[in-house]
Amino acid sequence: MASALETLCGQAFGAKRHHMLGIYLQRSWIVLFLCCILLLPIYIFASPILKLLGQSDDVAEMSGVVSLWLLPMHFSYAFLFPLQRFLQSQLKNFVTLWVALVVLVFHALISWLFVYVLDFGVVGAAIALDISWWVSFFVLLGYVTCGWCPLSWTGFSMEAFSDLWEFVKLSTASGVMLCLEFWYYRILILMTGHLQNATLSVDALSICMTMNAWELMIHLAFFAGTGVRVSNELGAGNGQAAKFAAKVSVAESSLIALFFCILIIAFRDNFGYIFTTSSDVIQRVNQMSYILGITILLNGVQPVLSGVAVGSGWQAWVAYINLFCYYIIGLPLGFVMGWVADLGVTGIWGGMILGGTAVQTVILGIMTSRRDWEKEAQKASQRVNKWSTPNPDDQTEEQQYT
C-alpha cells in the first residue's frame, strides 16, 4: 500500500510541490497504521488459524508464539515503508542504501546476541527483527526531520487528516496490484505440495524459485527506479521524457534478464549444487531450468512495466489485469497442465507462467506503448492540483510582491 507514495510523491516532486511530500507521507502513516490494527487478529489468532488450515499442532503453536513477538515489526512496516518511498521519490536512494547496510550489520550482531548468547532461540530471532526494523525507521526519520529534507518536510500538519478516503482508495489499489502478483507465486508452491512425490518437487521448485528471487532483485530495482523517474517526469509535464525513460528501462532490464537466462541454461546441470547434493533433486532442477529461464526473461520486462504503471497512477487498472491474467487464466491453466496433462510441477509452473505472467506482460506492454503520454502528463498535473495545496511560502512571497 505504501507504493501509492511512488505515484503521489513522485509526481508532486516533479511538479515542484515539495511541501506536499511530507503531507502525503503522514497520510500514508495514518492509513497504514489503521490497516495494521485491522490485521491484528491474524497475528493474535495465528495458532488456531493454522490448525484450521491443517498445520500440525507443534508448528501452529510455535508460529502463534512467534507471531505475537513479531507484532512490533508488523507495526514498523506501516511507518518504514512509506518513509522509504518518500525518500526514493526525491532520488535519495543512497540514504536508504547506507542505512540498510548499517542496520544489516547491527541486525547480525543482535541476532547472535539474542539467539546464541542469551539462548532465546526463535523468539530471540523475532526480537532481533523487531529491534532492527524500528532502528531503520528511527534513523531514516531522524534524517528526514532533522533538516536534510528542508523542502519536502515542513513538520507535522493537520492537513494529513484531509482526503484520507481518496488516499485509502489509491493505497488499496496499489496494495491489491502487488499482492495479487506476490500471492500468485506462493500458490504455485502450495499447488506443488499436493503432487505425488511432493517432497522432491518442492525441493526442486524451492531451488528454482530462490534463483529466480535472487535475479528478480535486479529488476525490482528497475521497478522502483522506473516508477520514480516516470512519476517525476509526468509531474513536471514531460510526457515524452517519461515515455523515453520507460523504453530505456525496459531495454536495459531485458538485456540483463537475457544474460542471466543464458547463464541458467548453460549451467543447468550444475547450479543446483549450490543448494543440495541430492542427485534426484539436481535432475529435477535440470528439467525445470528451461521454465526458470523463461521466467527470468519475463522478469526483465514485467516489473519494469509495473513500475511504469505505478509511476503513472494506473494501479487500479493493473489490479484488474493481474486478477484476470493470474487467477482466471494462469491458475486454471497450471492446474490443467499439472494434473490433467500429468506434467507435474513443470506443468503447473509452465501453465502459470505462460497463461498468467506472459499474458499480463503482453497486456501491460500494449497498454504502455499505446498511451498518449502528453495526456498522461496532463492527468498527472490534474492529480497534483487535486491532491495538493499551494506552498504557503510561495503564497507569502506572492503577497509581498503584490
Side-chain angles (χ1 to χ4, degrees):
M1 293 179 70
S3 65
L5 290 181
E6 295 180 31
T7 304
L8 296 175
C9 286
Q11 293 184 0
F13 184 79
K16 301 189 184 303
R17 298 285 183 92
H18 300 114
H19 68 290
M20 288 303 302
L21 272 68
I23 295 173
Y24 293 151
L25 173 63
Q26 294 169 59
R27 285 179 187 166
S28 188
W29 281 342
I30 295 168
V31 171
L32 267 63
F33 176 75
L34 294 175
C35 288
C36 281
I37 294 175
L38 292 177
L39 290 171
L40 274 179
I42 297 177
Y43 284 77
I44 295 172
F45 300 106
S47 288
I49 291 173
L50 289 172
K51 290 177 182 178
L52 187 65
L53 294 174
Q55 193 62 259
S56 65
D57 289 346
D58 291 342
V59 173
E61 291 296 336
M62 179 56 71
S63 299
V65 172
V66 173
S67 69
L68 292 177
W69 281 102
L70 287 177
L71 279 175
M73 185 178 73
H74 168 61
F75 279 94
S76 74
Y77 292 162
F79 298 96
L80 179 60
F81 290 162
L83 200 54
Q84 290 174 337
R85 268 61 174 191
F86 169 81
L87 292 168
Q88 179 180 298
S89 65
Q90 303 172 68
L91 310 181
K92 295 181 180 291
N93 296 341
F94 277 100
V95 177
T96 56
L97 169 64
W98 285 110
V99 170
L101 180 60
V102 172
V103 173
L104 176 62
V105 176
F106 172 76
H107 177 69
L109 291 174
I110 63 171
S111 294
W112 170 77
L113 174 65
F114 282 105
V115 175
Y116 294 108
V117 177
L118 299 178
D119 198 24
F120 287 167
V122 68
V123 171
I127 294 172
L129 284 169
D130 294 336
I131 295 172
S132 296
W133 280 95
W134 277 106
V135 167
S136 295
F137 166 71
F138 283 116
V139 173
L140 289 179
L141 182 66
Y143 176 87
V144 169
T145 58
C146 293
W148 281 278
C149 297
L151 296 177
S152 55
W153 179 264
T154 56
F156 292 97
S157 172
M158 292 300 295
E159 192 176 347
F161 290 92
S162 63
D163 294 324
L164 281 180
W165 178 241
E166 292 296 324
F167 201 96
V168 167
K169 290 193 289 185
L170 181 60
S171 296
T172 302
S174 301
V176 170
M177 167 189 160
L178 295 176
C179 284
L180 287 174
E181 187 169 332
F182 292 151
W183 293 341
Y184 186 61
Y185 292 101
R186 302 301 179 270
I187 293 173
L188 168 60
I189 297 174
L190 291 175
M191 291 175 67
T192 303
H194 291 280
L195 292 171
Q196 291 183 350
N197 197 7
T199 302
L200 176 62
S201 297
V202 171
D203 284 347
L205 180 63
S206 297
I207 291 174
C208 291
M209 295 304 289
T210 300
M211 295 295 293
N212 178 60
W214 286 351
E215 197 274 339
L216 180 61
M217 291 299 161
I218 300 172
H219 306 293
L220 289 179
F222 278 93
F223 165 82
T226 304
V228 170
R229 185 60 182 271
V230 168
S231 64
N232 286 167
E233 296 294 356
L234 290 178
N238 302 324
Q240 292 304 313
K243 180 180 179 180
F244 179 73
K247 288 182 177 179
V248 171
S249 296
V250 169
E252 290 181 351
S253 183
S254 298
L255 286 175
I256 293 172
L258 179 62
F259 169 77
F260 281 103
C261 174
I262 294 173
L263 205 63
I264 286 293
I265 300 301
F267 293 96
R268 62 186 181 276
D269 296 326
N270 301 307
F271 74 84
Y273 286 106
I274 299 173
F275 306 90
T276 182
T277 57
S278 170
S279 58
D280 292 336
V281 175
I282 296 295
Q283 183 180 0
R284 185 63 61 89
V285 169
N286 186 5
Q287 296 170 356
M288 297 169 61
S289 60
Y290 292 100
I291 297 295
L292 176 60
I294 295 173
T295 304
I296 288 175
L297 277 180
L298 291 173
N299 286 347
V301 181
Q302 189 271 336
V304 180
L305 295 179
S306 294
V308 174
V310 169
S312 305
W314 305 339
Q315 287 95 325
W317 281 103
V318 178
Y320 286 116
I321 292 171
N322 288 353
L323 179 64
F324 173 75
C325 294
Y326 289 148
Y327 296 90
I328 297 179
I329 298 179
L331 281 181
L333 184 59
F335 178 82
V336 169
M337 292 181 66
W339 276 278
V340 179
D342 198 25
L343 295 177
V345 63
T346 304
I348 296 174
W349 190 5
M352 293 177 70
I353 289 297
L354 297 176
T357 308
V359 173
Q360 184 239 25
T361 303
V362 170
I363 293 175
L364 286 182
I366 295 173
M367 182 177 171
T368 302
S369 62
R370 293 190 175 182
R371 285 283 170 168
D372 186 332
W373 286 95
E374 293 305 324
K375 286 187 177 180
E376 292 300 319
Q378 293 174 8
K379 290 179 182 178
S381 178
Q382 293 171 359
R383 184 181 292 111
V384 169
N385 292 328
K386 174 185 176 182
W387 285 70
S388 65
T389 57
N391 191 335
D393 295 335
D394 294 341
Q395 285 185 320
T396 302
E397 293 176 4
E398 183 178 348
Q399 290 171 357
Q400 289 175 350
Y401 177 78
T402 302

